[in-house]
């Protein structure tokens, strides 16, 4: 058996919540050893594991990638458990995908998250980098006392994140722009526009109390742009060069409920200090140490649309590659 198809050599597991996030992950791999395992070979998946894995290398690491069959914490937990059975030597698990971000956070809310930025889970306060915002006990009609504790990322992954933060403060800085260019070189021509940086002119942050009332209709031509701020109107902390997202480090909120309310987003930030929200990692981190990396595709409000999703998936995948 070739080295790259021997499951014993795989030490990194990469979980993508959706197909577009798996596409970005595959596109940043340095080499694909075997894009999909041949199920006729009984030495591969262990009995009971129906997951299809994409295998490759990133740097010196052999990486097994899998996509969740459904959104939500339970599906992600199942994929993680199956992955660890089929690849017994996996030491590090990454959950890499997109999320809704909190636009302002930190002391006096001066820190700015913009679309295309990346959030990396690192332990904050009493949390391990992810907080399960649905888990706990109802102590009143509207009061949920969250309990339980998510596991921390492995010491090796945390060490890599800390070292990367230091490198980003020095020249030449992040390699994400380079990885994004390489990623796009591996895509079909018709996919390229959606994986490119949509630019600050397409980044609208609407007032917290201004709701999108048009169902799945895009905000353009429907929502009142006077009730929003463009990125370049939000101050110097919101400015970005093309293909150069900022990386934010903190707590990620995870649940089986999609956050598409500016008011609820702000409430959850105040309570948990979560700076973005997604629907998978709490299922994984109940039982497995992992690092969560999320590209920001919307502001977790009612003005949700898909324009930024593929680019945000790309920035998250590029960040994950840089960490590895």
């Amino acid at each position: 058996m070739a080295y790259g198809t021997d499951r014993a050599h795989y030490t990194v597991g990469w979980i993508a919540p959706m197909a577009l996030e798996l596409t970005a992950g595959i596109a940043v791999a340095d080499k694909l050893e075997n894009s999909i395992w041949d199920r006729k070979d009984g030495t591969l998946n262990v009995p009971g594991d129906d997951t299809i894995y994409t295998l490759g290398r990133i740097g010196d690491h052999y990486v097994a990638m899998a996509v969740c069959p459904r959104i939500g914490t339970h599906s992600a937990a199942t994929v993680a458990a199956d992955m660890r059975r089929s690849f017994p030597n996996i030491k590090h698990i990454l959950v890499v995908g997109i999320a809704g971000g909190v636009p302002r956070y930190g002391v006096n809310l001066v820190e700015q998250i913009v679309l295309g930025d990346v959030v990396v889970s690192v332990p904050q306060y009493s949390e391990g980098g992810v907080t399960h915002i649905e888990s706990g006990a109802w102590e009143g009609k509207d009061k949920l006392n969250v309990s339980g504790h998510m596991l921390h990322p492995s010491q090796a992954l945390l060490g890599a994140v800390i070292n990367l933060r230091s490198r980003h403060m020095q020249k030449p800085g992040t390699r994400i722009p380079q990885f994004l260019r390489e990623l796009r070189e591996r895509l079909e021509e018709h996919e390229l526009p959606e994986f490119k940086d949509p630019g600050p002119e397409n980044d609208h942050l609407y007032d917290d109390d201004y709701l999108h009332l048009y169902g799945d209709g895009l905000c353009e031509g429907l929502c009142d742009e006077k009730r929003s701020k463009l990125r370049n109107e939000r101050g110097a902390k919101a400015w970005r060069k093309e293909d150069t997202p900022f990386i934010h480090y903190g707590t990620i909120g995870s649940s089986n409920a999609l956050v598409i309310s500016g008011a609820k987003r702000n409430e959850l930030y105040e309570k948990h200090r979560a700076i973005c929200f997604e629907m998978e990692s709490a299922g994984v981190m109940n039982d497995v140490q992992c690092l969560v990396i999320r590209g920001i595709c919307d502001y977790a409000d009612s003005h949700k649309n898909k324009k930024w999703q593929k680019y945000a998936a790309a920035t998250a995948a590029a960040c994950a590659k840089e960490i590895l």
Side-chain angles (χ1 to χ4, degrees):
M1 179 179 290
Y3 189 89
T5 57
D6 184 349
R7 64 182 179 181
H9 292 119
Y10 284 80
T11 58
V12 176
W14 180 305
I15 297 175
M18 297 189 297
L20 65 94
E21 294 149 313
L22 179 63
T23 296
I26 293 171
V28 299
D30 294 317
K31 182 179 180 182
L32 292 180
E33 297 294 341
N34 187 6
S35 59
I36 299 177
W37 278 17
D38 182 354
R39 296 194 165 282
K40 296 178 182 178
D41 187 339
T43 65
L44 300 179
N45 290 29
V46 299
D49 182 5
D50 294 323
T51 305
I52 298 175
Y53 296 100
T54 300
L55 308 178
R57 282 189 298 174
I58 296 179
D60 295 329
H61 303 283
Y62 280 81
V63 182
M65 296 184 180
V67 64
C68 297
R70 295 175 301 278
I71 62 173
T73 59
H74 301 303
S75 179
T78 299
V79 170
D82 286 343
M83 179 180 284
R84 293 173 72 208
R85 290 191 299 116
S86 285
F87 299 88
N89 292 328
I90 280 184
K91 299 176 182 178
H92 315 291
I93 289 184
L94 310 177
V95 178
V96 187
I98 59 178
V102 174
R104 299 169 292 269
Y105 74 96
V107 178
N108 296 325
L109 301 180
V110 298
E111 302 301 327
Q112 299 274 333
I113 292 178
V114 306
L115 302 185
D117 278 359
V118 179
V119 174
V120 177
S121 65
V122 296
Q124 302 281 316
Y125 313 107
S126 62
E127 294 293 343
V130 171
T131 183
H132 192 176
I133 58 179
E134 291 179 320
S135 176
W138 288 101
E139 297 183 345
K141 181 180 178 181
D142 298 309
K143 183 180 179 182
L144 177 66
N145 183 22
V146 175
S147 62
H149 181 77
M150 300 290 102
L151 295 174
H152 291 73
S154 67
Q155 289 299 111
L157 283 174
L158 279 178
V161 168
I162 292 169
N163 275 278
L164 192 63
R165 293 181 74 172
S166 175
R167 291 185 186 185
H168 284 175
M169 297 177 192
Q170 308 166 46
K171 292 182 178 180
T174 179
R175 297 177 65 192
I176 286 178
Q178 170 195 336
F179 293 151
L180 289 173
R181 290 192 297 270
E182 294 171 355
L183 179 156
R184 288 192 283 260
E185 289 174 358
R186 296 164 182 166
L187 297 174
E188 291 286 354
E189 194 72 26
H190 68 276
E191 288 288 347
L192 287 178
E194 294 190 60
F195 279 91
K196 290 182 178 179
D197 188 340
E201 68 276 10
N202 288 302
D203 186 348
H204 291 267
L205 174 60
Y206 285 89
D207 295 343
D208 294 344
D209 60 352
Y210 180 62
L211 301 180
H212 180 86
L213 302 176
Y214 307 99
D216 293 333
L218 297 179
C219 292
E220 288 83 355
L222 295 175
C223 291
D224 184 0
E225 292 187 358
K226 294 179 181 178
R227 298 294 306 274
S228 72
K229 283 186 177 180
L230 283 171
R231 182 190 299 178
N232 292 341
E233 299 172 327
R234 294 170 55 187
K237 290 240 178 186
W239 296 351
R240 304 286 185 270
K241 293 181 181 179
E242 183 179 359
D243 274 347
T244 310
F246 280 14
I247 315 301
H248 306 265
Y249 305 90
T251 298
I252 292 175
S254 184
S255 74
N256 283 310
L258 188 64
V259 180
I260 52 173
S261 161
K264 176 57 71 173
R265 173 200 69 205
N266 295 343
E267 175 189 324
L268 292 172
Y269 169 71
E270 287 296 325
K271 185 171 183 178
H272 304 291
R273 289 297 184 261
I275 58 176
C276 77
F277 302 97
E278 46 94 293
M279 299 178 66
E280 284 79 27
S281 58
V284 178
M285 293 189 73
N286 266 324
D287 302 307
V288 183
Q289 288 184 308
C290 82
L291 185 71
V292 185
I293 303 161
R294 294 285 182 166
I296 301 304
C297 63
D298 59 61
Y299 291 114
D301 60 12
S302 61
H303 301 276
K304 176 181 171 62
N305 66 65
K306 297 183 178 180
K307 177 174 288 187
W308 285 83
Q309 285 189 350
K310 290 184 179 179
Y311 181 69
T315 60
C319 180
K321 177 173 182 173
E322 191 169 28
I323 289 171
L324 289 177

